[in-house]
Amino acid sequence: MPERLAEMLLDLWTPLIILWITLPPCIYMAPMNQSQVLMSGSPLELNSLGEEQRILNRSKRGWVWNQMFVLEEFSGPEPILVGRLHTDLDPGSKKIKYILSGDGAGTIFQINDVTGDIHAIKRLDREEKAEYTLTAQAVDWETSKPLEPPSEFIIKVQDINDNAPEFLNGPYHATVPEMSILGTSVTNVTATDADDPVYGNSAKLVYSILEGQPYFSIEPETAIIKTALPNMDREAKEEYLVVIQAKDMGGHSGGLSGTTTLTVTLTDVNDNPPKFAQSLYHFSVPEDVVLGTAIGRVKANDQDIGENAQSSYDIIDGDGTALFEITSDAQAQDGIIRLRKPLDFETKKSYTLKVEAANVHIDPRFSGRGPFKDTATVKIVVEDADEPPVFSSPTYLLEVHENAALNSVIGQVTARDPDITSSPIRFSIDRHTDLERQFNINADDGKITLATPLDRELSVWHNITIIATEIRNHSQISRVPVAIKVLDVNDNAPEFASEYEAFLCENGKPGQVIQTVSAMDKDEPKNGHYFLYSLLPEMVNNPNFTIKKNEDNSLSILAKHNGFNRQKQEVYLLPIVISDSGNPPLSSTSTLTIRVCGCSNDGVVQSCNVEAYVLPIGLSMGALIAILACIILLLVIVVLFVTLRRHKNEPLIIKDDEDVRENIIRYDDEGGGEEDTEAFDIATLQNPDGINGFLPHYRRGLLGGISQDAV
Ligand SMILES: *[C@@H]1O[C@H](CO)[C@@H](O)[C@H](O)[C@H]1NC(C)=O
Ligand SMILES: *[C@@H]1O[C@H](CO)[C@@H](O)[C@H](O)[C@H]1NC(C)=O
């Protein structure tokens, strides 16, 4: 009966080799009992899975004809029948032979060439190779001629639950903040199962916790691990070991399982305040310790770690708040007390400070637990140290008049030994600062006296250093700078600020300003200089010049008339008395030289010489030298000419020989002979009138003056 039903089905696929599927595709066409009968010898009968589940799984695959199934890991006494090949060719007329080739043909799968039964002769492992592709063919038994084209089919290895779940990434580590609320997610883990995930429950995993309760829980399906207790305290227990199991077959008994470990570390939150290790600290410090020196350290412990344990330290009270400071050492998490201002054992021997440590990073969730700070008391004892002398002032400024008498006292420095065993002190001058030994000091009382005369105009400041030495301990030395300022005394008379030379235009008007002069005085009176100018008493009624003081302390010299003529008088000397406003005042007389010159109409000086030629103003040096050279050449020619004429006994322009002689005698000191005429300007000789105003002493100066002026 089953054979016949099968043959009926096969008739539908006439020319092909029909693959006799282990599980008939017609699960809806035939009752399950029947298909099992059809699959006589099929290994599926050995499948331990419930029928219902298998049908559900299989139904997903659809209709695939050319497949056979074989159960993995089967090891019975006989080879397992996988399926049977069959052709609808008439077996009566010809003898048919079935041939198998492809994956594992002959080695794993063996075919009975007469019946077409395929057996697996080896144990199969789905996890190693899940399917085999084979080719089947029906040939004539005698001729081996193919009766059909070859046909390909697949043998699938069917899964059994032969693999346990595995945690490939384990063991695991995770962190969760301490004090977390119940149910806070920690992490999740994943196990894998090598069995077929789409067939059966062999790979259906369920997670559970074996160890680690009651602190943690796991969600069976998702493997999400959560806290199972609220407010776990890191300071009480920091690390938890959780053992997690994954079991396949949906967790049912008989399933395989794997385990892993998860180490959960609680991370810190700031739930603990700082607390000083001691409520009272004692430190001692020598009074002469350098500013900034660390005097001691205080530490507030904090059960938290990292930044949650960080505290900042402050001095919040005490009698030494101005002298000491505290800095926070983030590394050591302590506070360092340092000296900020100098100590003095003789003034105050101990200090008390109230220091506070306060957490830097406060967690508002725990601020209700009280202040996250603590205080402690610090007592600092000052120790005596042998100190050098102390001057009554850090610097001294002394003043002395420049005319102070030798050995007069300029000032005094004082110093004392601050120690209780107060030693007497001796003073001395650091001679490197007083190389000229300008001053002396009384070793006992510190009085500074003048050793050599002072001159303010030479040096205003004498900055020296005084040394104080303790007599009982010569190594205790102090130095102090003493600046001695020399005060001005009116010991210099004023004088012209420079050498003035004035020029007066012949054609100038009465009242014209010839020159403005100013005066200088080396002294430096407090209220500045005020100069008084006057003419010499015998010159007060000078008919030629007058003076007028200007607002800016300078003086203008004015011409009184316009009758100046350089032919008449070439140079005037005007002595001027300048007096300062010192007490008593000092004065001196300076003489101004005024030269009479020829000027252009607009008052530009053109010639200050009595010679007739006009000096063009603004000539270059070269041009002037050329002109002078010409003049000299001309003179030489004239002299030669005169000499020649003399030799010829011809009279000069001046006819009277005696006149000439008289002139010569009058102007030449030694009155040397006839040759002397050569030394005189011919023009002067030509014009006896000019002789009146001719001053021999200024002869040289005049020539010099012109060349100077021209330059
Ligand atoms: C001396 O000291 C005074 C006051 O400190 C200062 O003004 C002056 O410049 C100093 N003079 C010299 C030459 O160092
Ligand atoms: C004034 O000038 C005239 C010539 O111009 C001269 O004789 C007289 O001595 C001068 N007086 C004084 C005080 O210089």
Side-chain angles (χ1 to χ4, degrees):
M1 169 67 178
E3 293 283 315
R4 231 187 282 154
L5 180 66
E7 265 161 48
M8 250 170 63
L9 283 166
L10 287 170
D11 285 342
L12 297 169
W13 304 91
T14 328
L16 296 172
I17 294 171
I18 299 305
L19 304 178
W20 195 256
I21 307 308
T22 47
L23 183 69
C26 46
I27 44 174
Y28 300 112
M29 286 164 64
M32 201 43 72
N33 291 353
Q34 211 170 356
S35 47
Q36 280 194 325
V37 174
L38 282 172
M39 298 180 303
S40 175
S42 161
L44 266 199
E45 282 176 348
L46 305 171
N47 198 326
S48 59
L49 278 181
E51 284 302 321
E52 218 171 299
Q53 198 151 15
R54 188 182 64 196
I55 290 160
L56 284 174
N57 282 342
R58 293 302 309 274
S59 66
K60 287 180 193 162
R61 296 192 178 177
W63 296 92
V64 182
W65 282 99
N66 54 345
Q67 288 187 352
M68 289 187 189
F69 291 86
V70 60
L71 203 60
E72 66 167 331
E73 303 292 354
F74 179 78
S75 54
E78 304 271 308
I80 184 172
L81 177 66
V82 178
R84 175 177 298 161
L85 299 179
H86 185 79
T87 179
D88 63 336
L89 292 169
D90 183 5
S93 61
K94 272 179 187 156
K95 232 163 164 223
I96 294 166
K97 185 180 177 184
Y98 294 99
I99 296 173
L100 192 64
S101 60
D103 286 347
T107 54
I108 296 168
F109 302 105
Q110 216 168 41
I111 193 161
N112 182 322
D113 50 8
V114 179
T115 60
D117 286 350
I118 298 170
H119 283 88
I121 54 171
K122 273 192 182 154
R123 183 185 166 130
L124 297 169
D125 184 2
R126 188 196 69 87
E127 285 73 34
E128 199 178 286
K129 189 164 168 66
E131 56 182 51
Y132 297 82
T133 307
L134 295 145
T135 307
Q137 199 166 25
V139 299
D140 186 298
W141 186 266
E142 267 131 34
T143 61
S144 287
K145 269 191 185 156
L147 301 172
E148 303 283 346
S151 179
E152 198 169 80
F153 69 101
I154 291 166
I155 297 175
K156 289 211 164 178
V157 184
Q158 258 195 325
D159 189 42
I160 64 162
N161 188 20
D162 60 340
N163 287 284
E166 267 185 287
F167 290 93
L168 296 178
N169 298 322
Y172 298 86
H173 292 270
T175 59
V176 67
E178 61 168 331
M179 297 293 157
S180 291
I181 55 162
L182 185 137
T184 303
S185 170
V186 179
T187 186
N188 72 327
V189 296
T190 325
T192 52
D193 193 310
D195 290 324
D196 193 346
V198 295
Y199 176 70
N201 285 337
S202 303
K204 185 168 195 300
L205 304 181
V206 168
Y207 298 89
S208 60
I209 282 186
L210 300 183
E211 253 177 68
Q213 277 155 334
Y215 307 105
F216 298 97
S217 65
I218 193 163
E219 284 189 1
E221 308 281 322
T222 57
I224 293 172
I225 292 132
K226 293 180 173 175
T227 57
L229 277 184
N231 298 338
M232 285 195 275
D233 189 5
R234 187 199 66 84
E235 287 75 35
K237 182 166 159 65
E238 187 172 10
E239 213 172 79
Y240 293 84
L241 188 74
V242 182
V243 179
I244 298 159
Q245 185 189 59
K247 198 168 178 190
D248 61 16
M249 302 305 287
H252 289 287
S253 62
L256 300 172
S257 65
T259 59
T260 191
T261 58
L262 164 69
T263 309
V264 180
T265 307
L266 298 186
T267 54
D268 189 49
V269 300
N270 191 4
D271 57 343
N272 290 286
K275 186 108 190 69
F276 275 108
Q278 298 162 240
S279 58
L280 182 63
Y281 292 84
H282 283 281
F283 299 119
S284 60
V285 55
E287 60 173 330
D288 61 350
V289 78
V290 178
L291 292 191
T293 304
I295 288 162
R297 287 169 173 260
V298 294
K299 179 164 173 126
N301 297 318
D302 193 312
Q303 290 183 55
D304 295 320
I305 52 169
E307 67 170 27
N308 294 325
Q310 245 176 53
S311 285
S312 70
Y313 293 83
D314 268 310
I315 297 173
I316 54 169
D317 201 7
D319 56 5
T321 48
L323 275 80
F324 299 95
E325 62 186 357
I326 192 164
T327 52
S328 309
D329 181 347
Q331 197 73 36
Q333 295 192 348
D334 60 4
I336 308 163
I337 296 169
R338 293 180 195 279
L339 186 63
R340 204 165 74 169
K341 284 187 181 159
L343 294 168
D344 185 17
F345 171 79
E346 289 73 26
T347 316
K348 191 158 163 52
K349 295 183 175 58
S350 79
Y351 294 89
T352 306
L353 304 174
K354 193 174 178 193
V355 295
E356 180 189 82
N359 266 175
V360 179
H361 304 277
I362 306 261
D363 190 331
R365 284 181 296 161
F366 306 105
S367 52
R369 293 191 178 186
F372 274 65
K373 51 186 165 187
D374 192 23
T375 57
T377 305
V378 176
K379 282 213 182 323
I380 298 168
V381 172
V382 183
E383 294 166 346
D384 195 15
D386 196 0
E387 293 166 281
V390 177
F391 281 97
S392 61
S393 166
T395 59
Y396 293 87
L397 174 63
L398 305 179
E399 293 185 335
V400 55
H401 281 100
E402 55 182 321
N403 62 353
L406 292 189
N407 297 323
S408 60
V409 175
I410 294 165
Q412 186 176 17
V413 297
T414 54
R416 59 173 191 94
D417 177 6
D419 297 318
I420 287 180
T421 57
S422 181
S423 162
I425 286 160
R426 290 186 70 80
F427 298 97
S428 59
I429 294 176
D430 181 347
R431 287 300 172 188
H432 294 106
T433 64
D434 183 27
L435 292 171
E436 274 139 40
R437 295 187 166 259
Q438 188 91 52
F439 306 100
N440 282 329
I441 191 162
N442 183 312
D444 297 320
D445 64 9
K447 280 186 177 148
I448 300 166
T449 53
L450 186 61
T452 58
L454 294 165
D455 184 3
R456 190 203 67 86
E457 285 71 39
L458 224 59
S459 178
V460 177
W461 287 100
H462 296 273
N463 294 352
I464 60 173
T465 299
I466 304 289
I467 301 168
T469 312
E470 284 182 20
I471 290 178
R472 293 210 199 105
N473 181 355
H474 288 259
S475 67
Q476 295 295 341
I477 290 173
S478 290
R479 308 168 142 259
V480 73
V482 176
I484 300 170
K485 186 179 187 182
V486 182
L487 300 178
D488 189 39
V489 164
N490 190 20
D491 55 352
N492 289 282
E495 55 193 47
F496 276 165
S498 68
E499 296 243 336
Y500 293 105
E501 196 168 33
F503 297 94
L504 167 59
C505 283
E506 281 179 328
N507 56 352
K509 295 191 177 62
Q512 107 183 80
V513 175
I514 303 165
Q515 179 74 33
T516 302
V517 297
S518 45
M520 56 82 73
D521 190 320
K522 286 178 188 156
D523 294 321
E524 261 175 24
K526 275 201 195 96
N527 302 325
H529 290 291
Y530 184 82
F531 298 119
L532 290 170
Y533 301 92
S534 60
L535 295 174
L536 284 179
E538 61 268 30
M539 291 274 216
V540 167
N541 295 318
N542 190 315
N544 302 325
F545 306 105
T546 185
I547 57 171
K548 185 171 147 274
K549 168 105 192 262
N550 299 320
E551 292 222 331
D552 65 353
N553 236 357
S554 66
L555 181 75
S556 295
I557 291 99
L558 295 81
K560 263 189 164 171
H561 58 82
N562 59 355
F564 296 98
N565 183 340
R566 62 188 142 142
Q567 302 292 355
K568 219 157 80 195
Q569 182 160 348
E570 217 178 339
V571 168
Y572 293 85
L573 296 177
L574 186 62
I576 294 169
V577 181
I578 314 172
S579 156
D580 61 24
S581 50
N583 184 20
L586 289 181
S587 65
S588 73
T589 305
S590 302
T591 303
L592 177 70
T593 306
I594 303 167
R595 212 167 289 285
V596 182
C597 301
C599 300
S600 65
N601 284 340
D602 48 0
V604 176
V605 174
Q606 288 185 323
S607 168
C608 302
N609 203 344
V610 288
E611 275 81 18
Y613 61 80
V614 169
L615 252 189
I617 301 298
L619 277 185
S620 72
M621 179 78 172
L624 279 171
I625 288 170
I627 289 168
L628 279 175
C630 287
I631 291 167
I632 290 163
L633 191 68
L634 200 71
L635 281 174
V636 170
I637 291 168
V638 168
V639 166
L640 275 176
F641 174 74
V642 167
T643 316
L644 282 174
R645 288 290 292 264
R646 275 225 147 145
H647 282 290
K648 286 184 180 175
N649 234 356
E650 276 179 32
L652 206 59
I653 301 168
I654 299 165
K655 293 182 173 102
D656 194 348
D657 261 350
E658 291 213 282
D659 269 353
V660 174
R661 188 165 293 274
E662 222 180 301
N663 286 337
I664 290 165
I665 288 166
R666 209 191 296 174
Y667 297 109
D668 186 54
D669 293 338
E670 295 301 311
E674 293 171 353
E675 316 302 303
D676 278 336
T677 51
E678 291 169 24
F680 286 98
D681 191 329
I682 194 70
T684 310
L685 298 178
Q686 282 177 319
N687 187 0
D689 285 351
I691 288 162
N692 290 338
F694 189 77
L695 297 172
H697 286 295
Y698 287 91
R699 176 68 185 167
R700 218 170 259 276
L702 180 56
L703 283 171
I706 286 167
S707 55
Q708 210 174 21
D709 177 49
V711 168

